Amino acid sequence: MHKKVCVNDIHINYDESGTGKDVLVFLHGLGENIASWQAQIDYFQQTFRVITPEMRGHAQSDDGEEVITLALMVKDIFALLDQLDIKQAHFCGLSMGALLCQEIAVQDKSRILSMTLANGAGFYPEEMATTGLEARLKRIEDLSMQELGYAIAKAASKPDTAEEQLIKTATIFQANRKKPYAQATQTTLTADYRAHHASMGGIPTFILVGELDPVTPIAFSQYLNEHILGSKMQILPKVSHLSKIDDPMLFSRALTEFLCAYSNSARLLLEVTV
């Protein structure tokens, strides 16, 4: 069920589904919204309490007056969870959402029961963070959101995605507004958590990546796996950057199997979905 709540002087749109004891928070990628997690919400709400916020500047959440940063978005997440009386949760973030998980670990890792970094990075190579960022910002300026949304959907989906699905995925990105989207793009591509990865070693961490991901390639996930002590990594076959949409059940089952070591709700979910 979609709801809105006032946090940090803005209204945040979020979905709350399921009544399970264990809380699972899904954090979307750059330019995405709640709709991008719908398959996972439907699946995990069977045994989990699932919280899926829309970050400020995205879709139905307000932009606010401050420049959008990962740190600010995490403050919003904490404020939302506080209002829902959630002290700890399992977090799963894709792409920008994976960066948000790392920012949560920096700000207050005691809130994390586990974190899943899907199709993510711990930092972006200099070319992506400089000339690549400039090119992306120029594209946001030059294209309409209709054109941009379709282009992103096409680039981030697996190559054999049906046109009907591409159009559906494009509507997620087309819901953006240019100014906040540009700000979120800036903070995403200039993020760098390398100095903090050693301190994340005590957090149960799962790293998922699509075999065909050109946006955050396998090498980015391998870096995270090597530098977050004790983390586990899995490559999902035949999917791209939007792995949760390319093959929702493959993504969800992998996440469930990881969570089984830390969550009764996950163990129960495997039993009821055999």
Side-chain angles (χ1 to χ4, degrees), residues 114-274:
S114 74
M115 66 178 184
T116 296
L117 312 179
N119 299 85
F123 72 101
Y124 290 95
E126 183 177 356
E127 184 177 352
M128 287 184 70
T130 54
T131 55
L133 173 59
E134 290 173 6
R136 286 201 184 198
L137 294 176
K138 184 71 163 55
R139 187 172 68 160
I140 294 170
E141 181 180 343
D142 291 347
L143 298 181
S144 69
M145 285 312 306
Q146 289 294 113
E147 294 169 323
L148 187 60
Y150 185 84
I152 295 169
K154 183 81 172 175
S157 300
K158 60 182 179 178
D160 61 350
T161 300
E163 183 66 16
E164 181 180 0
Q165 179 60 56
L166 284 177
I167 292 170
K168 182 179 179 181
T169 301
T171 63
I172 295 171
F173 297 98
Q174 289 163 349
N176 284 290
R177 300 171 291 280
K178 286 197 173 189
K179 182 178 177 181
Y181 183 59
Q183 292 177 0
T185 300
Q186 176 88 32
T187 191
T188 295
L189 286 182
T190 56
D192 188 344
Y193 289 97
R194 283 176 288 185
H196 302 285
H197 287 147
S199 66
M200 297 179 194
I203 302 171
T205 302
F206 188 35
I207 299 163
L208 278 175
V209 61
E211 176 188 18
L212 307 176
D213 189 345
V215 182
T216 49
I218 292 172
F220 290 16
S221 288
Q222 289 173 328
Y223 180 92
L224 289 169
N225 186 219
E226 291 167 4
H227 289 82
I228 301 178
L229 188 64
S231 63
K232 299 178 180 179
M233 177 177 161
Q234 183 172 338
I235 299 172
L236 300 176
K238 301 179 182 179
V239 298
S240 188
H241 187 62
L242 293 175
S243 56
K244 60 184 179 181
I245 295 175
D246 282 346
D247 194 331
M249 186 50 65
L250 178 68
F251 184 99
S252 297
R253 292 288 290 194
L255 176 56
T256 306
E257 289 169 4
F258 165 73
L259 289 174
C260 275
Y262 312 100
S263 165
N264 287 328
S265 294
R267 290 188 284 273
L268 178 59
L269 186 55
L270 277 187
E271 292 176 7
V272 301
T273 57
V274 169

Side-chain angles (χ1 to χ4, degrees), residues 20-25 48-49 78 81 85-92 101 104-105 108-117 200-206 230 255 258-267:
K21 181 179 179 182
D22 295 340
V23 178
L24 176 56
V25 179
F48 281 86
R49 181 184 179 191
F78 285 165
L81 296 180
D85 196 28
I86 297 171
K87 295 179 174 57
Q88 291 183 307
H90 299 278
F91 292 88
C92 175
C101 287
I104 290 170
D108 186 0
K109 66 180 180 181
S110 70
R111 303 197 74 145
I112 302 176
L113 293 173
S114 74
M115 66 178 184
T116 296
L117 312 179
M200 297 179 194
I203 302 171
T205 302
F206 188 35
L255 176 56
F258 165 73
L259 289 174
C260 275
Y262 312 100
S263 165
N264 287 328
S265 294
R267 290 188 284 273

Side-chain angles (χ1 to χ4, degrees), residues 1-7 10-15 54 58-62 80 83:
M1 180 184 298
H2 288 212
K3 306 175 184 178
K4 282 197 174 184
V5 64
C6 186
V7 301
I10 66 166
H11 287 93
I12 288 288
N13 188 45
Y14 73 100
D15 182 90
E54 281 176 347
H58 289 72
Q60 296 184 56
S61 289
D62 293 345
L80 170 62
Q83 289 211 28

